[in-house]
C-alpha cells in the first residue's frame, strides 16, 4: 500500500480519451461518471467546440473533473501538435491560443499537456534553443491564466508518428527535460512549466526511480499510466503495445513510491493506444482502468 508521511495514500483514477478511441468529450465524461471514475483528460479543441459553458455544466452535473487537457497547439479538431513543429505550422497552431486558454479556466482545468519530440531533423543546439523559446512563450501564456504546462518526454523509439520522428535524437528522459526547462529564461514562464510523467515512456527510457524522486516538489504536474509488454524488448516497444496497469512488466511499486517521494498527489490517468484493447466494450475498458489503478497501488 502506498503511504505518504506514514499515512495510506490512494491516487485517483483518471480516464484518457485515447483509451476509448472515437468517443466525444461528452461520451467520455459520461462513461467515466457511470463507472465510478471522477476525472478525465480532454482535448481542449473538443471543449471549445462543445461550448465552455455547456461543458462546465455537464461536468458539474456528472461530478467529473478535467484533470488535464491537450491541444494547446491543436492539430485539427481533436489531436495536438508536439512542440517542435515547423515554424509555419507553429504560427498557425498558436492562432486562437487565448480562446483555448480561457476554456481551461471555464471548465476548472489547471493543467495543459504538451508532448516533446524525442527525435528531430533540427540540429541539436537549434532544437534545444527553439524548444526553450517556445516553452517560454507558452509557459508565459499559461502563467497569465493560472495554468501549469506539463511537458511530456517520449521514451519509446519505435513506431513513432512522423510528427515525433526525425534523423537525430533529442530529449527522451526526465533528466534531460528538466535541464531544458531550466533553460527557459523568463522566471514567470519557467514557474508555470511542469512535467507530465508517462509510466510507459519512463520505463522505455530506463525505469530509473531517481529520475522521479530527483524532481523538485510540485514539478510533476500530471501522470499518465500504462503497462509494458512482456515478450518485447524496450527498444522495440511502440505505443500500440500499451497494456492496462498490472498486466505487464513495469515495476509498479518502484514507480509509484518514487512518485509519492517526489510529492505527487494527483491522479493516475490510464492512457492506452492498444488497438486490441480499444475494441473492448467501452464500459469494460472504463471498469478495467479503474480496477487496474486501484490494484497496482495495493502492491506492498
Amino acid at each position: 500500500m502506498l503511504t505518504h508521511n506514514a499515512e495510506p495514500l490512494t491516487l485517483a483514477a483518471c480516464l484518457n480519451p485515447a483509451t476509448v478511441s472515437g468517443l466525444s468529450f461528452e461520451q467520455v465524461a459520461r462513461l467515466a461518471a457511470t463507472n465510478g471514475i471522477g476525472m478525465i483528460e480532454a482535448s481542449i479543441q473538443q471543449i471549445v467546440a462543445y461550448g465552455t459553458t455547456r461543458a462546465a455544466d455537464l461536468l458539474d452535473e456528472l461530478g467529473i473533473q478535467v484533470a488535464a487537457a491537450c491541444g494547446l497547439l491543436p492539430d485539427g479538431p481533436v489531436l495536438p501538435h508536439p512542440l517542435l513543429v515547423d515554424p509555419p505550422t507553429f504560427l498557425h497552431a498558436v492562432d486562437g491560443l487565448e480562446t483555448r486558454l480561457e476554456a481551461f479556466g471555464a471548465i476548472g482545468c489547471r493543467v495543459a499537456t504538451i508532448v516533446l519530440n524525442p527525435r528531430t531533423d533540427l540540429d541539436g543546439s537549434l532544437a534545444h534553443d527553439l524548444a526553450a523559446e517556445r516553452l517560454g512563450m507558452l509557459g508565459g501564456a499559461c502563467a497569465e491564466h493560472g495554468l501549469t504546462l506539463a511537458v511530456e518526454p517520449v521514451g519509446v523509439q519505435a513506431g513513432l508518428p512522423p510528427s515525433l520522428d526525425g534523423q537525430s535524437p533529442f530529449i527522451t528522459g526526465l533528466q534531460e527535460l528538466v535541464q531544458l526547462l531550466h533553460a527557459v529564461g523568463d522566471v514567470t514562464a519557467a514557474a508555470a512549466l511542469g512535467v507530465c510523467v508517462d509510466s510507459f515512456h519512463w520505463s522505455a527510457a530506463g525505469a530509473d526511480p531517481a529520475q522521479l524522486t530527483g524532481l523538485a516538489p510540485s514539478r510533476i504536474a500530471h501522470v499518465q499510466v500504462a503497462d509494458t509488454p512482456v515478450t518485447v524488448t524496450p527498444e522495440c516497444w511502440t505505443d500500440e503495445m500499451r497494456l492496462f496497469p498490472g498486466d505487464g512488466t513495469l515495476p509498479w511499486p518502484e514507480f509509484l513510491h518514487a512518485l509519492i517521494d517526489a510529492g505527487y498527489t494527483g491522479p493516475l490517468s490510464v492512457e492506452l493506444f492498444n488497438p486490441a484493447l480499444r475494441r473492448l466494450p467501452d464500459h469494460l475498458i472504463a471498469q478495467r482502468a479503474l480496477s487496474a489503478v486501484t490494484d497496482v497501488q495495493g502492491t506492498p
Side-chain angles (χ1 to χ4, degrees), residues 2-297:
L2 295 174
T3 60
H4 182 60
N5 295 328
E7 295 293 328
L9 179 63
T10 301
L11 303 180
C14 177
L15 184 63
N16 186 296
T19 304
V20 281
S21 62
L23 298 190
S24 67
F25 156 70
E26 179 174 344
Q27 288 172 322
V28 172
R30 292 191 182 280
L31 177 67
T34 300
N35 290 280
I37 300 175
M39 295 186 183
I40 62 171
E41 288 190 62
S43 158
I44 203 64
Q45 303 100 292
Q46 285 191 318
I47 298 292
V48 171
Y50 189 82
T52 54
T53 299
R54 185 181 171 210
D57 290 343
L58 175 69
L59 294 169
D60 186 59
E61 171 198 334
L62 298 175
I64 293 292
Q65 293 180 315
V66 177
C70 66
L72 208 59
L73 299 179
D75 180 14
V78 178
L79 297 176
H81 279 301
L83 186 65
L84 290 180
V85 292
D86 61 82
T89 300
F90 181 78
L91 289 174
H92 183 265
V94 169
D95 186 47
L97 178 61
E98 186 67 20
T99 297
R100 294 188 293 276
L101 290 168
E102 290 172 354
F104 277 88
I107 62 170
C109 177
R110 293 297 175 218
V111 177
T113 59
I114 193 167
V115 175
L116 187 62
N117 306 61
R119 302 185 63 82
T120 178
D121 288 330
L122 297 174
D123 171 77
S125 60
L126 177 60
H128 181 277
D129 292 347
L130 182 61
E133 176 187 329
R134 289 180 176 177
L135 287 174
M137 185 276 280
L138 295 172
C142 286
E144 292 179 0
H145 289 264
L147 305 179
T148 297
L149 179 59
V151 187
E152 179 184 355
V154 174
V156 298
Q157 295 296 303
L160 294 172
S163 63
L164 292 176
D165 210 348
Q167 296 182 358
S168 304
F170 185 42
I171 289 175
T172 59
L174 292 168
Q175 185 174 15
E176 300 167 293
L177 172 59
V178 170
Q179 292 173 351
L180 172 63
L181 299 185
H182 286 160
V184 175
D186 184 274
V187 175
T188 301
L193 298 175
V195 174
C196 177
V197 173
D198 183 297
S199 66
F200 195 86
H201 294 310
W202 168 80
S203 190
D208 182 3
Q211 293 237 329
L212 298 171
T213 56
L215 296 172
S218 78
R219 176 64 93 176
I220 302 177
H222 189 58
V223 174
Q224 297 168 334
V225 291
D227 217 326
T228 50
V230 175
T231 60
V232 182
T233 56
E235 63 271 15
C236 296
W237 291 351
T238 71
D239 272 322
E240 292 188 345
M241 297 177 185
R242 288 171 176 254
L243 302 172
F244 282 105
D247 286 353
T249 60
L250 193 139
W252 289 102
E254 290 88 344
F255 176 74
L256 293 167
H257 282 102
L259 284 181
I260 300 306
D261 289 344
Y264 184 70
T265 58
L268 302 177
S269 183
V270 178
E271 183 185 51
L272 307 180
F273 299 94
N274 188 317
L277 297 179
R278 281 173 160 177
R279 287 194 289 269
L280 295 172
D282 293 334
H283 73 278
L284 183 57
I285 292 175
Q287 291 168 8
R288 287 188 62 180
L290 177 58
S291 63
V293 167
T294 302
D295 290 347
V296 295
Q297 294 183 80

